[in-house]
Amino acid sequence: MPIVKLAKNIGFCAGVRRAMTIVEKTLEQRKTGIYSFGPVIHNTQVIKDLQDRNLMVARSVKGLPAGSTLILPSHGAPERILKSAAANRLKLVDVTCPNVSNLQNICKSLDKSGFDVIIIGDKAHPEVKALTGIAKKVHVIEKEPDIKKLDFSNKKIGIISQTTQNKDRFFDFVSKILKSNSLIKEVRIFNTICLDTARRQEEVKRLAKEVDVLLVIGSKFSANTKRLLNIGRKINNKTFLIESELSPVSRFIHKAGRVGLISGASAPDWLVKKIIKKIKGGV
Ligand code: SF4
């Protein structure tokens, strides 16, 4: 049996745990007519379980029956959704993580103070999409070539990050943005990467060096899980994604003496426990 090295930060993060507690309470109290705007968290199995308990995932607010409940996800929702929910007389339950709300407030305040907002993050991620509706001038930097396309006519820029961005990449991009144009007169930089994300990224680097095989538990749809996977793989090419108890754990850990285990922020504790049991029980 291999030695299992567990990350300290594993299972749900505080933001997801809080969101799930509120969602579960809402499902218990209201029973029917409960929708979420997109998935409340990025984990396929958890969403499936919530759907089995009557939660309906809506892509749009249009057409939802008046009086029904709309849950805003942990990664936040665009302001236009809040407005249409009010217009459609929906009851809102907001489970946006406080770290995401803080990021939204920073974005609003930069906009109010006349700064262009530069977000370092994934263009298609709902958290980033919600931010782009908050400020008048927003630029999203996902890849290095995006920096070249920046328009510095304003000369006042505020740089923020998606909460689950890669920390090293954020600081690297900040430095490249600042070097890219001498017209910039005033800069405000906010490291809005959440503490849980930063801790998991440090842990994955340490674990990847200490073990023969590193398993990252989480969904392929979860941005923070994918980042842990990429960081781990750069150090240890035997880093694998475990999406469910059906993933081929035995094949991944074959002949490994030490196995490291970490998870994305939306991987449930029960799945972590099942995977540990599988490894210890010889699978
Ligand atoms: S990863 Fe961070 S920002 Fe996202 S829900 Fe968890 S604590 Fe909040």
Side-chain angles (χ1 to χ4, degrees), residues 14-163:
V16 167
R17 201 175 295 282
R18 174 184 169 275
M20 287 300 295
T21 306
I22 303 172
V23 171
E24 303 221 339
K25 211 180 260 177
T26 308
L27 287 173
E28 262 172 46
Q29 288 169 348
R30 304 197 186 171
K31 312 273 187 233
T32 55
I34 308 163
Y35 298 85
S36 67
F37 179 67
V40 272
I41 67 167
H42 286 135
N43 186 279
T44 319
Q45 285 170 298
V46 173
I47 298 304
K48 167 86 185 49
D49 175 55
L50 293 174
Q51 283 175 317
D52 289 346
R53 290 152 67 193
N54 286 341
L55 178 74
M56 292 170 275
V57 180
R59 301 282 154 201
S60 153
V61 174
K62 265 191 208 152
L64 298 188
S68 51
T69 301
L70 182 70
I71 302 178
L72 303 181
S74 59
H75 38 266
E79 287 201 324
R80 64 179 166 79
I81 296 300
L82 275 77
K83 285 183 190 149
S84 13
N88 285 302
R89 289 184 289 125
L90 304 178
K91 291 177 202 143
L92 277 187
V93 174
D94 188 357
V95 302
T96 304
C97 172
N99 290 320
V100 177
S101 303
N102 177 48
L103 168 64
Q104 293 174 342
N105 289 337
I106 291 172
C107 187
K108 272 182 207 155
S109 123
L110 283 168
D111 180 58
K112 217 171 156 194
S113 310
F115 286 77
D116 275 17
V117 180
I118 298 178
I119 307 164
I120 298 177
D122 306 332
K123 289 175 186 168
H125 195 279
E127 180 184 311
V128 174
K129 281 186 169 173
L131 286 172
T132 55
I134 288 179
K136 285 183 283 302
K137 276 194 87 180
V138 179
H139 315 267
V140 182
I141 305 292
E142 181 172 306
K143 299 198 172 92
E144 207 175 320
D146 295 329
I147 297 174
K148 283 206 182 94
K149 295 178 206 152
L150 279 173
D151 149 31
F152 289 105
S153 52
N154 186 356
K155 302 187 182 65
K156 280 173 73 172
I157 58 165
I159 310 177
I160 56 179
S161 169
Q162 183 181 344
T163 52

